Amino acid sequence: MKTTGSAIRTYGGNLFDFAHPEKSIISITDIAHSLSLLCRFAGHCRVFYSVSEHSVRVSHACPKEHALWGLMHDASEAFAVDVPRPLKHLVNMEAYRAHEKRIQRAICAKFGMLPVEPIAVKEADNVLLATEQRDLLKNSANDIFSTPLKTQIRPWSSKKAERVFLNRFAELTK
């Protein structure tokens, strides 16, 4: 297939069309690989820390019934990249947020998930953010007022993050 002005070629060779994500080929392998190579915090952390590792950790911090949503909560970033929260929530970023939501809805449909993120997932995401700020950023204060995890994050390699993400997905969807 030939790319168009609104499509990209994924790691697995699939064509992901931003204009029509619901018609695009969405693959868990593409998602895991891409997220394993995306660094959180726009790369402003002490060492490389991937979105896929973050997602695995969020899934473990969620109640069991929301663990798959926790794992997949940033899956749209495999296509729309990881935009830092303060930038993503600026007024002039409405179009980006709408696009990201369309992609996430397509991912939810693909994997049989409800299209609305459970509150427990946002809470787990905030706990991880507080933990990541403590362990991975210099001079960072807990500005979201969630209690960090007791365990300290020791980031994984991108290859390990991809493998653990895929294993966690298999565990949650078996």
Side-chain angles (χ1 to χ4, degrees):
M1 293 189 314
K2 185 178 177 188
T3 60
T4 66
S6 63
I8 60 168
R9 185 74 58 196
T10 67
Y11 168 72
N14 297 317
L15 194 61
F16 181 85
D17 190 342
F18 288 101
H20 305 287
E22 63 279 355
K23 295 179 183 175
S24 298
I25 298 169
I26 295 172
S27 155
I28 194 62
T29 304
D30 284 341
I31 291 169
H33 182 77
S34 177
L35 295 182
S36 76
L37 296 173
L38 284 177
C39 190
R40 295 265 296 154
F41 304 106
H44 293 286
C45 36
R46 290 184 178 133
V47 296
F48 179 81
Y49 178 69
S50 71
V51 174
S52 60
E53 179 176 353
H54 163 79
S55 297
V56 169
R57 291 178 184 278
V58 169
S59 80
H60 285 290
C62 287
K64 188 175 184 171
E65 66 271 18
H66 300 305
L68 180 60
W69 235 111
L71 181 69
M72 302 299 286
H73 80 284
D74 283 337
S76 63
E77 294 176 6
F79 308 101
V81 303
D82 182 25
V83 174
R85 191 183 284 190
L87 174 60
K88 188 185 294 187
H89 292 287
L90 289 177
V91 172
N92 62 348
M93 294 293 283
E94 292 103 350
Y96 171 84
R97 290 191 305 271
H99 215 62
E100 184 181 44
K101 284 179 185 174
R102 280 189 29 232
I103 295 168
Q104 190 67 28
R105 277 195 306 273
I107 290 167
C108 288
K110 170 75 177 193
F111 298 111
M113 298 162 45
L114 295 175
V116 178
E117 180 179 89
I119 292 170
V121 172
K122 182 49 72 185
E123 291 169 351
D125 191 26
N126 284 336
V127 167
L128 259 296
L129 178 56
T131 307
E132 293 159 354
Q133 287 175 328
R134 179 195 69 203
D135 296 347
L136 303 169
L137 301 177
K138 289 184 180 181
N139 302 321
S140 184
N142 183 343
D143 57 4
I144 55 164
F145 309 109
S146 289
T147 303
L149 297 171
K150 288 184 168 78
T151 58
Q152 187 169 9
I153 294 174
R154 291 186 183 7
W156 308 329
S157 70
S158 61
K159 287 190 183 297
K160 179 178 179 179
E162 180 177 355
R163 183 179 71 252
V164 174
F165 184 98
L166 288 169
N167 288 342
R168 182 71 169 148
F169 181 83
E171 172 189 335
L172 294 171
T173 60
K174 64 180 175 196

